[in-house]
Amino acid sequence: MGILQIAIVILVLVLLVKPLGTYLYQVFRNEGNGTDKWFSWLEKPIFALIGLKERKGMTWKGYAISFVVTNIVLVAAGYLILRMQSVLPFNPNGIDDMESTLSFNTIISFMTNTNLQHYSGESGLSYMAQMAVITMMMFTSAATGLCVAIAFIRAVTSKGTTVGNFFEDFVKAHTRVFIPAAFIIAMVLVALQVPQTLQPALSVTTLQGSEQQIAVGPVAALESIKHLGTNGGGFMGANSAHPFENPSPLTNVIEILCMWSLGAALPYTFGLFAKSRKQGWIIFSVMMTLFIGFLSLNYAAETNGNPALNRLGMDTSQGSMEGKEVRFGIAQSSLFTTVTTAATTGSVNNMHDTLTPLGGITPLSLMMLNSVFGGKGVGLMNMLMYAILAVFLAGLMVGRTPEFLGRKIEAREMKLIAVVILVHPLIILAPTALALMTDAGQAGIAHAGFHGISQVLYEYTSSAANNGSGFEGLSDNTPFWNVTTGLVMLFGRYISMIALLAVGGSLMRKQWVPETLGTFRTDNKLFAGILIAVVLIIGALTFLPVLVLGPIAEHLTIR
């Protein structure tokens, strides 16, 4: 029954890929199409307001500067709101200002599409902060990632000299993708009993006669963009395990599809830009193959139960249900865990800290690879980076100059790709070592031994992959953890984005090379196999030693 549930959700996802991928292509191809008549009336006054009349194309440098400066302005405004929320309106619960290092961590977290939370949503933020900072940045950070991915796609597929106009793309991402989709999903969630109100927390009398405060608020609005934008930050501290955020198996499936579908559709969009649907389906099939492999590991490990409890003769026929919601069970918990870390969303419907050691390898590995679907565009960009690397390696083996989509791959591109590949493990492993070596880092670790290593490793892996989920168990609301994870989130977001835009700009300047009989094809099963091998080999060489110190060692001690 569990496998059938998973199969149905995957089938629905596959059916959504083509229509959603086609729609994204229509929105961003910068040619007149059917979407104009629905949205141009809204966009024209916005373009006039920001002074965007001609909408000229930008170089990759201009595009990068535009999105970075826009993000800086939004960060500054959001930081002020967090520091002043006690005196701003829509604070019926009287929540105080957020502390400075926590404000730094929070604003960086949401601007980088990470949504790592070192605070509890219902008690740490006013309604004003939830809407004007958290919900707003869930839109803008998702739109930024999608825009950069589209610019990268244009760079590697077109024969032009520009990658598009960031501000035009940024507006369209909001008006044509995220705002209408979020509105529809929010209405569906409200119909399915997710709260949407500005009233203060409910005061109720329990069966024992005591008073209890039950947090409510504009939950549905946040939940919709939280998943559509692969954000992940919850309104409640329990995130999508909370019955107000995710009340039923139906809402669980809707949230899974929301955070998965746009990222899964982007490879098809890439195929349309490249004028080769087959190319897009090959990239999608590589992602899906890796996804199913890691999902199978998690589902099998959780279904088989905790080895320590099995050895005691306890009834574990339901699997390892520790930390999981009964209304979801093993299947929907495993699928949610795999999707939220593959899509770098970070929302959780179960406690990842209570996953079995082997089950915990799945979310860690997907964030370490950071290329299996990924967030809004990040996964596709990283997978195309691996595709370029695979073509380069194949070219070296056969003695030919490597080419990808009609452009020669040379030293400049490989140096930039090397930067991206090396930075990701550096900003995970170095802070992990620092935390385990210093008193400030050790003070936050609740578990000794191998599980404690896994907790620290997960925190920095989640930050570097802009995921935001956690193993929990860490006392992470301290200056050390707030500052270090904040810096990791910054580096993890912007270094890779800018470097890959530079790769696209470098390829765009090169003369188009016509395809010949000797051209290495990148739209067949052979290339798919090579690409999977490259992703796994680089991932294993980089991260397998630290996985051995954490979850693998923990499994060996309790099996």
Side-chain angles (χ1 to χ4, degrees):
M1 186 63 180
I3 294 177
L4 179 61
Q5 291 182 49
I6 292 172
I8 290 173
V9 176
I10 292 176
L11 176 61
V12 173
L13 183 279
V14 173
L15 294 176
L16 289 172
V17 166
K18 184 174 180 179
L20 283 177
T22 303
Y23 180 74
L24 291 175
Y25 173 71
Q26 295 293 341
V27 168
F28 293 108
R29 66 174 178 157
N30 290 338
E31 298 177 7
N33 58 77
T35 64
D36 293 338
K37 65 179 181 180
W38 294 101
F39 300 104
S40 59
W41 65 271
L42 176 62
E43 294 165 352
K44 286 180 180 178
I46 298 175
F47 291 142
L49 180 65
I50 64 177
L52 195 66
K53 296 180 180 179
E54 298 181 6
R55 290 177 255 171
K56 293 182 180 179
M58 299 175 173
T59 64
W60 77 265
K61 291 181 181 179
Y63 205 98
I65 292 171
S66 296
F67 90 76
V68 169
V69 171
T70 300
N71 283 194
I72 290 173
V73 172
L74 292 170
V75 163
Y79 182 83
L80 288 176
I81 293 174
L82 293 177
R83 297 287 288 140
M84 300 170 59
Q85 64 178 353
S86 65
V87 299
L88 294 174
F90 300 109
N91 187 14
N93 298 317
I95 295 174
D96 202 1
D97 299 335
M98 186 175 278
E99 185 267 333
S100 58
T101 64
L102 181 57
S103 295
F104 166 78
N105 183 277
T106 301
I107 202 67
I108 295 302
S109 177
F110 283 85
M111 192 66 259
T112 58
N113 202 233
T114 309
N115 298 58
L116 183 76
Q117 291 177 286
H118 286 178
Y119 64 92
S120 183
E122 63 264 47
S123 61
L125 294 176
S126 67
Y127 291 169
M128 168 65 83
Q130 290 276 22
M131 294 185 292
V133 178
I134 305 305
T135 304
M136 179 272 290
M137 287 197 168
M138 284 183 173
F139 280 97
T140 55
S141 63
T144 298
L146 180 59
C147 293
V148 172
I150 293 296
F152 182 70
I153 290 172
R154 291 181 186 133
V156 299
T157 60
S158 72
K159 298 180 181 180
T161 57
T162 64
V163 297
N165 186 292
F166 170 74
F167 300 106
E168 179 182 7
D169 292 340
F170 193 63
V171 170
K172 285 183 175 180
H174 284 90
T175 58
R176 304 193 185 196
V177 181
F178 291 113
I179 291 177
F183 177 80
I184 293 170
I185 296 302
M187 292 299 99
V188 172
L189 292 177
V190 169
L192 295 173
Q193 308 302 313
V194 176
Q196 179 67 23
T197 179
L198 293 177
Q199 295 298 314
L202 302 176
S203 181
V204 299
T205 302
T206 66
L207 294 176
Q208 289 79 18
S210 59
E211 290 294 319
Q212 180 178 347
Q213 299 294 314
I214 299 178
V216 293
V219 181
L222 186 142
E223 284 301 300
S224 59
I225 188 58
K226 158 186 164 181
H227 290 103
L228 284 167
T230 59
N231 292 285
F235 193 98
M236 311 291 181
N239 210 283
S240 287
H242 196 288
F244 283 0
E245 289 198 19
N246 191 8
S248 68
L250 178 57
T251 60
N252 195 61
V253 170
I254 290 172
E255 292 180 7
I256 287 173
L257 291 173
C258 283
M259 61 177 154
W260 197 4
S261 55
L262 287 175
L266 276 172
Y268 189 81
T269 302
F270 163 70
L272 293 177
F273 272 101
K275 296 179 174 55
S276 172
R277 290 181 175 86
K278 191 175 181 181
Q279 183 82 63
W281 283 119
I282 286 295
I283 299 296
F284 175 84
S285 66
V286 168
M287 291 178 171
M288 184 58 79
T289 300
L290 291 168
F291 176 88
I292 291 176
F294 284 110
L295 170 63
S296 301
L297 172 61
N298 182 273
Y299 181 71
E302 300 306 305
T303 301
N304 290 331
N306 188 311
L309 297 181
N310 294 342
R311 192 168 60 249
L312 294 175
M314 299 179 65
D315 181 11
T316 57
S317 58
Q318 294 185 39
S320 179
M321 284 297 294
E322 181 188 4
K324 298 179 179 63
E325 296 294 309
V326 176
R327 67 184 185 276
F328 301 139
I330 297 292
Q332 289 205 33
S333 297
S334 290
L335 183 59
F336 200 104
T337 296
T338 309
V339 172
T340 195
T341 46
T344 65
T345 305
S347 61
V348 294
N349 76 345
N350 65 94
M351 185 63 72
H352 287 191
D353 186 47
T354 62
L355 293 171
T356 61
L358 290 184
I361 290 177
T362 288
L364 272 169
S365 297
L366 287 169
M367 292 186 294
M368 288 169 172
L369 296 179
N370 203 21
S371 58
V372 183
F373 296 112
K376 293 300 162 282
V378 175
L380 177 64
M381 291 176 70
N382 287 338
M383 187 58 77
L384 291 179
M385 173 193 71
Y386 281 116
I388 294 171
L389 178 60
V391 169
F392 181 78
L393 294 174
L396 290 180
M397 288 189 288
V398 298
R400 285 181 54 86
T401 301
E403 301 167 8
F404 183 68
L405 298 181
R407 267 71 175 263
K408 291 185 181 297
I409 309 300
E410 296 175 311
R412 174 176 169 78
E413 294 79 44
M414 294 315 303
K415 289 176 182 177
L416 289 167
I417 286 174
V419 168
V420 178
I421 290 176
L422 293 174
V423 162
H424 186 60
L426 177 63
I427 61 176
I428 292 173
L429 301 178
T432 298
L434 181 66
L436 294 172
M437 291 168 55
T438 60
D439 292 338
Q442 293 176 13
I445 303 173
H447 293 274
F450 304 122
H451 194 74
I453 294 174
S454 296
Q455 287 179 323
V456 176
L457 177 64
Y458 195 106
E459 185 80 359
Y460 287 113
T461 303
S462 176
S463 300
N466 298 136
N467 179 268
S469 63
F471 251 24
E472 304 310 330
L474 286 173
S475 300
D476 49 20
N477 185 14
T478 65
F480 175 86
W481 289 99
N482 287 337
V483 173
T484 56
T485 55
L487 292 174
V488 169
M489 289 185 281
L490 269 177
F491 297 147
R493 175 75 162 181
Y494 295 105
I495 291 177
S496 62
M497 274 186 163
I498 294 171
L500 289 177
L501 270 181
V503 171
S506 178
L507 291 173
M508 179 173 275
R509 290 194 297 269
K510 296 187 177 184
Q511 185 176 356
W512 198 274
V513 179
E515 186 176 304
T516 66
L517 290 175
T519 300
F520 180 65
R521 298 189 64 85
T522 57
D523 60 356
N524 54 28
K525 295 178 182 178
L526 173 62
F527 180 72
I530 293 174
L531 183 52
I532 291 172
V534 168
V535 171
L536 291 178
I537 289 172
I538 291 178
L541 290 173
T542 308
F543 293 110
L544 185 58
V546 74
L547 287 174
V548 169
L549 291 175
I552 294 176
E554 184 181 2
H555 172 74
L556 293 175
T557 59
I558 68 171
R559 64 172 182 168

